[in-house]
Amino acid sequence: MSSVKEEKKIKVIKNGPYMVTGNVPLAKEMITEDEKRYLLKWEKVSDYPEQETHSLCRCGESKNAPFCDGAHKRAACNMAETAEKATFQSKAEKVEGDDIILFDVPDLCASGHFCTRAGGAWDLVRERSDDPEKIRIAIKEASDCPSGRLVMMDKKTGQEIEPDFEPSISIAQDEVAGVSGPICVRGRIQIEGSDGTLYELRNRVALCRCGQSNSKPFCDGSHVAYKFHDKQ
Ligand code: FES
């Protein structure tokens, strides 16, 4: 019997985990400092074995993180989806430079901290957009942002400047803040709410896995104040 390949998708299960289908590559990555101790970067720690389907914990209580082990049945956190369904562009604040526009939706911040170096993406675009090196840094900062809070656009073409991601999922560990981070979804994987509603298809999305976000299923950076650590 031939096995049917499922669509790459993440389905939010009501009061339960994220059901991931379609053999999506899954890895663990570290947000870390560089050798100068101020530039942040992603560093792959390991790959998880390939699986056609798996379920990822979103309550923060699993002892087999990042996978669900059924602990959500006893979890105290409220797992209801509370995120606005409005599109990124309808909510975005705009910072304009000479040739570039930075779009920003602060509510989506996942506390990745990539955007703060070298004066910060906002000031680099606003004040240094005549300097190609500064703009290169600002674009890199926005591209590293796990949640897609920051998106750059080329003013001339009207095209978003996005990293070319294959569909994949990364489980973040934030070495700099000393906490376990969100589920970073890359490469425009469809996320479906528990009621069947489809969230906007985006190249970069950070999903809550500590159970504390006020914008579920998305990460709002609450894992930092909550000092979230994988329980395994
Ligand atoms: S969602 Fe199942 S253990 Fe957390």
mmCIF file with all atom_site columns, all heavy atoms in Angstrom, residues 15-18 56-62 67-73 79, ligand 1:
data_model
loop_
_atom_site.group_PDB
_atom_site.id
_atom_site.type_symbol
_atom_site.label_atom_id
_atom_site.label_alt_id
_atom_site.label_comp_id
_atom_site.label_asym_id
_atom_site.label_entity_id
_atom_site.label_seq_id
_atom_site.pdbx_PDB_ins_code
_atom_site.Cartn_x
_atom_site.Cartn_y
_atom_site.Cartn_z
_atom_site.occupancy
_atom_site.B_iso_or_equiv
_atom_site.pdbx_formal_charge
_atom_site.auth_seq_id
_atom_site.auth_comp_id
_atom_site.auth_asym_id
_atom_site.auth_atom_id
_atom_site.pdbx_PDB_model_num
ATOM   1   N  N   . ASN A 1 15 ? -7.030 22.858 23.474 1.00 0.00 ? 15 ASN A N   1
ATOM   2   C  CA  . ASN A 1 15 ? -6.509 22.430 24.786 1.00 0.00 ? 15 ASN A CA  1
ATOM   3   C  C   . ASN A 1 15 ? -5.449 21.335 24.691 1.00 0.00 ? 15 ASN A C   1
ATOM   4   O  O   . ASN A 1 15 ? -5.270 20.551 25.627 1.00 0.00 ? 15 ASN A O   1
ATOM   5   C  CB  . ASN A 1 15 ? -7.648 21.957 25.704 1.00 0.00 ? 15 ASN A CB  1
ATOM   6   C  CG  . ASN A 1 15 ? -8.596 23.084 26.013 1.00 0.00 ? 15 ASN A CG  1
ATOM   7   O  OD1 . ASN A 1 15 ? -8.180 24.231 26.167 1.00 0.00 ? 15 ASN A OD1 1
ATOM   8   N  ND2 . ASN A 1 15 ? -9.880 22.781 26.072 1.00 0.00 ? 15 ASN A ND2 1
ATOM   9   N  N   . GLY A 1 16 ? -4.790 21.270 23.555 1.00 0.00 ? 16 GLY A N   1
ATOM   10  C  CA  . GLY A 1 16 ? -3.769 20.246 23.351 1.00 0.00 ? 16 GLY A CA  1
ATOM   11  C  C   . GLY A 1 16 ? -2.598 20.771 22.552 1.00 0.00 ? 16 GLY A C   1
ATOM   12  O  O   . GLY A 1 16 ? -2.388 21.993 22.489 1.00 0.00 ? 16 GLY A O   1
ATOM   13  N  N   . PRO A 1 17 ? -1.843 19.881 21.941 1.00 0.00 ? 17 PRO A N   1
ATOM   14  C  CA  . PRO A 1 17 ? -0.582 20.274 21.289 1.00 0.00 ? 17 PRO A CA  1
ATOM   15  C  C   . PRO A 1 17 ? -0.768 20.866 19.893 1.00 0.00 ? 17 PRO A C   1
ATOM   16  O  O   . PRO A 1 17 ? -1.884 21.114 19.444 1.00 0.00 ? 17 PRO A O   1
ATOM   17  C  CB  . PRO A 1 17 ? 0.153  18.929 21.192 1.00 0.00 ? 17 PRO A CB  1
ATOM   18  C  CG  . PRO A 1 17 ? -0.954 17.930 21.024 1.00 0.00 ? 17 PRO A CG  1
ATOM   19  C  CD  . PRO A 1 17 ? -2.101 18.434 21.861 1.00 0.00 ? 17 PRO A CD  1
ATOM   20  N  N   . TYR A 1 18 ? 0.342  21.084 19.235 1.00 0.00 ? 18 TYR A N   1
ATOM   21  C  CA  . TYR A 1 18 ? 0.363  21.392 17.799 1.00 0.00 ? 18 TYR A CA  1
ATOM   22  C  C   . TYR A 1 18 ? 0.562  20.075 17.078 1.00 0.00 ? 18 TYR A C   1
ATOM   23  O  O   . TYR A 1 18 ? 1.537  19.361 17.362 1.00 0.00 ? 18 TYR A O   1
ATOM   24  C  CB  . TYR A 1 18 ? 1.550  22.298 17.439 1.00 0.00 ? 18 TYR A CB  1
ATOM   25  C  CG  . TYR A 1 18 ? 1.583  23.613 18.152 1.00 0.00 ? 18 TYR A CG  1
ATOM   26  C  CD1 . TYR A 1 18 ? 2.487  23.829 19.194 1.00 0.00 ? 18 TYR A CD1 1
ATOM   27  C  CD2 . TYR A 1 18 ? 0.756  24.664 17.779 1.00 0.00 ? 18 TYR A CD2 1
ATOM   28  C  CE1 . TYR A 1 18 ? 2.561  25.043 19.856 1.00 0.00 ? 18 TYR A CE1 1
ATOM   29  C  CE2 . TYR A 1 18 ? 0.818  25.897 18.434 1.00 0.00 ? 18 TYR A CE2 1
ATOM   30  C  CZ  . TYR A 1 18 ? 1.716  26.073 19.470 1.00 0.00 ? 18 TYR A CZ  1
ATOM   31  O  OH  . TYR A 1 18 ? 1.781  27.282 20.114 1.00 0.00 ? 18 TYR A OH  1
ATOM   32  N  N   . LEU A 1 56 ? 3.726  18.655 18.962 1.00 0.00 ? 56 LEU A N   1
ATOM   33  C  CA  . LEU A 1 56 ? 4.633  19.479 19.762 1.00 0.00 ? 56 LEU A CA  1
ATOM   34  C  C   . LEU A 1 56 ? 3.873  20.096 20.928 1.00 0.00 ? 56 LEU A C   1
ATOM   35  O  O   . LEU A 1 56 ? 2.764  20.612 20.753 1.00 0.00 ? 56 LEU A O   1
ATOM   36  C  CB  . LEU A 1 56 ? 5.237  20.592 18.901 1.00 0.00 ? 56 LEU A CB  1
ATOM   37  C  CG  . LEU A 1 56 ? 6.142  20.131 17.746 1.00 0.00 ? 56 LEU A CG  1
ATOM   38  C  CD1 . LEU A 1 56 ? 6.562  21.330 16.898 1.00 0.00 ? 56 LEU A CD1 1
ATOM   39  C  CD2 . LEU A 1 56 ? 7.371  19.404 18.280 1.00 0.00 ? 56 LEU A CD2 1
ATOM   40  N  N   . CYS A 1 57 ? 4.491  20.052 22.083 1.00 0.00 ? 57 CYS A N   1
ATOM   41  C  CA  . CYS A 1 57 ? 3.878  20.597 23.302 1.00 0.00 ? 57 CYS A CA  1
ATOM   42  C  C   . CYS A 1 57 ? 3.657  22.099 23.170 1.00 0.00 ? 57 CYS A C   1
ATOM   43  O  O   . CYS A 1 57 ? 4.525  22.829 22.698 1.00 0.00 ? 57 CYS A O   1
ATOM   44  C  CB  . CYS A 1 57 ? 4.795  20.305 24.492 1.00 0.00 ? 57 CYS A CB  1
ATOM   45  S  SG  . CYS A 1 57 ? 4.246  21.082 26.022 1.00 0.00 ? 57 CYS A SG  1
ATOM   46  N  N   . ARG A 1 58 ? 2.498  22.563 23.615 1.00 0.00 ? 58 ARG A N   1
ATOM   47  C  CA  . ARG A 1 58 ? 2.277  24.020 23.672 1.00 0.00 ? 58 ARG A CA  1
ATOM   48  C  C   . ARG A 1 58 ? 1.822  24.449 25.068 1.00 0.00 ? 58 ARG A C   1
ATOM   49  O  O   . ARG A 1 58 ? 1.453  25.586 25.268 1.00 0.00 ? 58 ARG A O   1
ATOM   50  C  CB  . ARG A 1 58 ? 1.334  24.502 22.572 1.00 0.00 ? 58 ARG A CB  1
ATOM   51  C  CG  . ARG A 1 58 ? -0.114 24.150 22.685 1.00 0.00 ? 58 ARG A CG  1
ATOM   52  C  CD  . ARG A 1 58 ? -0.899 24.694 21.490 1.00 0.00 ? 58 ARG A CD  1
ATOM   53  N  NE  . ARG A 1 58 ? -2.319 24.441 21.615 1.00 0.00 ? 58 ARG A NE  1
ATOM   54  C  CZ  . ARG A 1 58 ? -3.204 25.328 22.048 1.00 0.00 ? 58 ARG A CZ  1
ATOM   55  N  NH1 . ARG A 1 58 ? -2.833 26.542 22.370 1.00 0.00 ? 58 ARG A NH1 1
ATOM   56  N  NH2 . ARG A 1 58 ? -4.477 25.019 22.138 1.00 0.00 ? 58 ARG A NH2 1
ATOM   57  N  N   . CYS A 1 59 ? 1.846  23.519 26.036 1.00 0.00 ? 59 CYS A N   1
ATOM   58  C  CA  . CYS A 1 59 ? 1.451  23.888 27.402 1.00 0.00 ? 59 CYS A CA  1
ATOM   59  C  C   . CYS A 1 59 ? 2.668  24.137 28.299 1.00 0.00 ? 59 CYS A C   1
ATOM   60  O  O   . CYS A 1 59 ? 2.535  24.687 29.379 1.00 0.00 ? 59 CYS A O   1
ATOM   61  C  CB  . CYS A 1 59 ? 0.582  22.800 28.017 1.00 0.00 ? 59 CYS A CB  1
ATOM   62  S  SG  . CYS A 1 59 ? 1.470  21.292 28.470 1.00 0.00 ? 59 CYS A SG  1
ATOM   63  N  N   . GLY A 1 60 ? 3.849  23.692 27.842 1.00 0.00 ? 60 GLY A N   1
ATOM   64  C  CA  . GLY A 1 60 ? 5.073  23.900 28.624 1.00 0.00 ? 60 GLY A CA  1
ATOM   65  C  C   . GLY A 1 60 ? 5.299  22.865 29.702 1.00 0.00 ? 60 GLY A C   1
ATOM   66  O  O   . GLY A 1 60 ? 6.252  22.969 30.478 1.00 0.00 ? 60 GLY A O   1
ATOM   67  N  N   . GLU A 1 61 ? 4.441  21.863 29.802 1.00 0.00 ? 61 GLU A N   1
ATOM   68  C  CA  . GLU A 1 61 ? 4.535  20.901 30.918 1.00 0.00 ? 61 GLU A CA  1
ATOM   69  C  C   . GLU A 1 61 ? 5.085  19.538 30.509 1.00 0.00 ? 61 GLU A C   1
ATOM   70  O  O   . GLU A 1 61 ? 5.301  18.680 31.368 1.00 0.00 ? 61 GLU A O   1
ATOM   71  C  CB  . GLU A 1 61 ? 3.143  20.713 31.550 1.00 0.00 ? 61 GLU A CB  1
ATOM   72  C  CG  . GLU A 1 61 ? 2.568  21.965 32.190 1.00 0.00 ? 61 GLU A CG  1
ATOM   73  C  CD  . GLU A 1 61 ? 3.427  22.472 33.344 1.00 0.00 ? 61 GLU A CD  1
ATOM   74  O  OE1 . GLU A 1 61 ? 4.069  21.669 34.030 1.00 0.00 ? 61 GLU A OE1 1
ATOM   75  O  OE2 . GLU A 1 61 ? 3.469  23.701 33.529 1.00 0.00 ? 61 GLU A OE2 1
ATOM   76  N  N   . SER A 1 62 ? 5.295  19.311 29.234 1.00 0.00 ? 62 SER A N   1
ATOM   77  C  CA  . SER A 1 62 ? 5.758  17.987 28.796 1.00 0.00 ? 62 SER A CA  1
ATOM   78  C  C   . SER A 1 62 ? 7.136  17.678 29.377 1.00 0.00 ? 62 SER A C   1
ATOM   79  O  O   . SER A 1 62 ? 8.009  18.541 29.423 1.00 0.00 ? 62 SER A O   1
ATOM   80  C  CB  . SER A 1 62 ? 5.820  17.941 27.268 1.00 0.00 ? 62 SER A CB  1
ATOM   81  O  OG  . SER A 1 62 ? 6.438  16.732 26.867 1.00 0.00 ? 62 SER A OG  1
ATOM   82  N  N   . PHE A 1 67 ? 8.175  17.481 22.408 1.00 0.00 ? 67 PHE A N   1
ATOM   83  C  CA  . PHE A 1 67 ? 6.986  16.727 22.016 1.00 0.00 ? 67 PHE A CA  1
ATOM   84  C  C   . PHE A 1 67 ? 5.962  16.689 23.160 1.00 0.00 ? 67 PHE A C   1
ATOM   85  O  O   . PHE A 1 67 ? 6.324  16.769 24.340 1.00 0.00 ? 67 PHE A O   1
ATOM   86  C  CB  . PHE A 1 67 ? 7.383  15.297 21.611 1.00 0.00 ? 67 PHE A CB  1
ATOM   87  C  CG  . PHE A 1 67 ? 8.393  15.283 20.498 1.00 0.00 ? 67 PHE A CG  1
ATOM   88  C  CD1 . PHE A 1 67 ? 9.727  14.996 20.750 1.00 0.00 ? 67 PHE A CD1 1
ATOM   89  C  CD2 . PHE A 1 67 ? 8.016  15.603 19.196 1.00 0.00 ? 67 PHE A CD2 1
ATOM   90  C  CE1 . PHE A 1 67 ? 10.668 15.012 19.725 1.00 0.00 ? 67 PHE A CE1 1
ATOM   91  C  CE2 . PHE A 1 67 ? 8.955  15.622 18.174 1.00 0.00 ? 67 PHE A CE2 1
ATOM   92  C  CZ  . PHE A 1 67 ? 10.283 15.328 18.435 1.00 0.00 ? 67 PHE A CZ  1
ATOM   93  N  N   . CYS A 1 68 ? 4.715  16.554 22.770 1.00 0.00 ? 68 CYS A N   1
ATOM   94  C  CA  . CYS A 1 68 ? 3.621  16.415 23.742 1.00 0.00 ? 68 CYS A CA  1
ATOM   95  C  C   . CYS A 1 68 ? 3.703  15.039 24.393 1.00 0.00 ? 68 CYS A C   1
ATOM   96  O  O   . CYS A 1 68 ? 3.926  14.040 23.705 1.00 0.00 ? 68 CYS A O   1
ATOM   97  C  CB  . CYS A 1 68 ? 2.299  16.582 22.995 1.00 0.00 ? 68 CYS A CB  1
ATOM   98  S  SG  . CYS A 1 68 ? 0.837  16.143 23.950 1.00 0.00 ? 68 CYS A SG  1
ATOM   99  N  N   . ASP A 1 69 ? 3.524  14.980 25.710 1.00 0.00 ? 69 ASP A N   1
ATOM   100 C  CA  . ASP A 1 69 ? 3.472  13.680 26.393 1.00 0.00 ? 69 ASP A CA  1
ATOM   101 C  C   . ASP A 1 69 ? 2.145  13.506 27.139 1.00 0.00 ? 69 ASP A C   1
ATOM   102 O  O   . ASP A 1 69 ? 2.033  12.640 28.009 1.00 0.00 ? 69 ASP A O   1
ATOM   103 C  CB  . ASP A 1 69 ? 4.666  13.511 27.352 1.00 0.00 ? 69 ASP A CB  1
ATOM   104 C  CG  . ASP A 1 69 ? 4.563  14.425 28.575 1.00 0.00 ? 69 ASP A CG  1
ATOM   105 O  OD1 . ASP A 1 69 ? 3.658  15.295 28.612 1.00 0.00 ? 69 ASP A OD1 1
ATOM   106 O  OD2 . ASP A 1 69 ? 5.391  14.272 29.490 1.00 0.00 ? 69 ASP A OD2 1
ATOM   107 N  N   . GLY A 1 70 ? 1.175  14.354 26.804 1.00 0.00 ? 70 GLY A N   1
ATOM   108 C  CA  . GLY A 1 70 ? -0.145 14.226 27.441 1.00 0.00 ? 70 GLY A CA  1
ATOM   109 C  C   . GLY A 1 70 ? -0.299 15.058 28.696 1.00 0.00 ? 70 GLY A C   1
ATOM   110 O  O   . GLY A 1 70 ? -1.383 15.108 29.279 1.00 0.00 ? 70 GLY A O   1
ATOM   111 N  N   . ALA A 1 71 ? 0.771  15.748 29.115 1.00 0.00 ? 71 ALA A N   1
ATOM   112 C  CA  . ALA A 1 71 ? 0.714  16.517 30.372 1.00 0.00 ? 71 ALA A CA  1
ATOM   113 C  C   . ALA A 1 71 ? -0.292 17.669 30.302 1.00 0.00 ? 71 ALA A C   1
ATOM   114 O  O   . ALA A 1 71 ? -0.717 18.183 31.347 1.00 0.00 ? 71 ALA A O   1
ATOM   115 C  CB  . ALA A 1 71 ? 2.107  17.065 30.707 1.00 0.00 ? 71 ALA A CB  1
ATOM   116 N  N   . HIS A 1 72 ? -0.677 18.085 29.079 1.00 0.00 ? 72 HIS A N   1
ATOM   117 C  CA  . HIS A 1 72 ? -1.628 19.206 28.956 1.00 0.00 ? 72 HIS A CA  1
ATOM   118 C  C   . HIS A 1 72 ? -2.962 18.881 29.639 1.00 0.00 ? 72 HIS A C   1
ATOM   119 O  O   . HIS A 1 72 ? -3.695 19.783 30.012 1.00 0.00 ? 72 HIS A O   1
ATOM   120 C  CB  . HIS A 1 72 ? -1.859 19.550 27.476 1.00 0.00 ? 72 HIS A CB  1
ATOM   121 C  CG  . HIS A 1 72 ? -2.330 18.403 26.647 1.00 0.00 ? 72 HIS A CG  1
ATOM   122 N  ND1 . HIS A 1 72 ? -1.450 17.584 25.973 1.00 0.00 ? 72 HIS A ND1 1
ATOM   123 C  CD2 . HIS A 1 72 ? -3.561 17.923 26.404 1.00 0.00 ? 72 HIS A CD2 1
ATOM   124 C  CE1 . HIS A 1 72 ? -2.140 16.662 25.323 1.00 0.00 ? 72 HIS A CE1 1
ATOM   125 N  NE2 . HIS A 1 72 ? -3.414 16.836 25.577 1.00 0.00 ? 72 HIS A NE2 1
ATOM   126 N  N   . LYS A 1 73 ? -3.254 17.616 29.804 1.00 0.00 ? 73 LYS A N   1
ATOM   127 C  CA  . LYS A 1 73 ? -4.546 17.259 30.430 1.00 0.00 ? 73 LYS A CA  1
ATOM   128 C  C   . LYS A 1 73 ? -4.590 17.752 31.879 1.00 0.00 ? 73 LYS A C   1
ATOM   129 O  O   . LYS A 1 73 ? -5.657 17.947 32.439 1.00 0.00 ? 73 LYS A O   1
ATOM   130 C  CB  . LYS A 1 73 ? -4.741 15.739 30.390 1.00 0.00 ? 73 LYS A CB  1
ATOM   131 C  CG  . LYS A 1 73 ? -4.929 15.246 28.948 1.00 0.00 ? 73 LYS A CG  1
ATOM   132 C  CD  . LYS A 1 73 ? -5.013 13.742 28.876 1.00 0.00 ? 73 LYS A CD  1
ATOM   133 C  CE  . LYS A 1 73 ? -4.884 13.289 27.431 1.00 0.00 ? 73 LYS A CE  1
ATOM   134 N  NZ  . LYS A 1 73 ? -4.086 12.100 27.255 1.00 0.00 ? 73 LYS A NZ  1
ATOM   135 N  N   . MET A 1 79 ? -5.148 27.464 27.492 1.00 0.00 ? 79 MET A N   1
ATOM   136 C  CA  . MET A 1 79 ? -4.584 27.213 26.167 1.00 0.00 ? 79 MET A CA  1
ATOM   137 C  C   . MET A 1 79 ? -5.434 27.791 25.034 1.00 0.00 ? 79 MET A C   1
ATOM   138 O  O   . MET A 1 79 ? -5.183 27.519 23.855 1.00 0.00 ? 79 MET A O   1
ATOM   139 C  CB  . MET A 1 79 ? -4.370 25.706 25.973 1.00 0.00 ? 79 MET A CB  1
ATOM   140 C  CG  . MET A 1 79 ? -3.365 25.157 26.983 1.00 0.00 ? 79 MET A CG  1
ATOM   141 S  SD  . MET A 1 79 ? -3.150 23.396 26.854 1.00 0.00 ? 79 MET A SD  1
ATOM   142 C  CE  . MET A 1 79 ? -2.077 23.291 25.432 1.00 0.00 ? 79 MET A CE  1
HETATM 143 S  S1  . FES B 2 .  ? 0.582  20.196 24.895 1.00 0.00 ? 1  FES B S1  1
HETATM 144 FE FE1 . FES B 2 .  ? 0.626  18.100 25.408 1.00 0.00 ? 1  FES B FE1 1
HETATM 145 S  S2  . FES B 2 .  ? 2.097  17.995 27.014 1.00 0.00 ? 1  FES B S2  1
HETATM 146 FE FE2 . FES B 2 .  ? 2.049  20.131 26.505 1.00 0.00 ? 1  FES B FE2 1
#
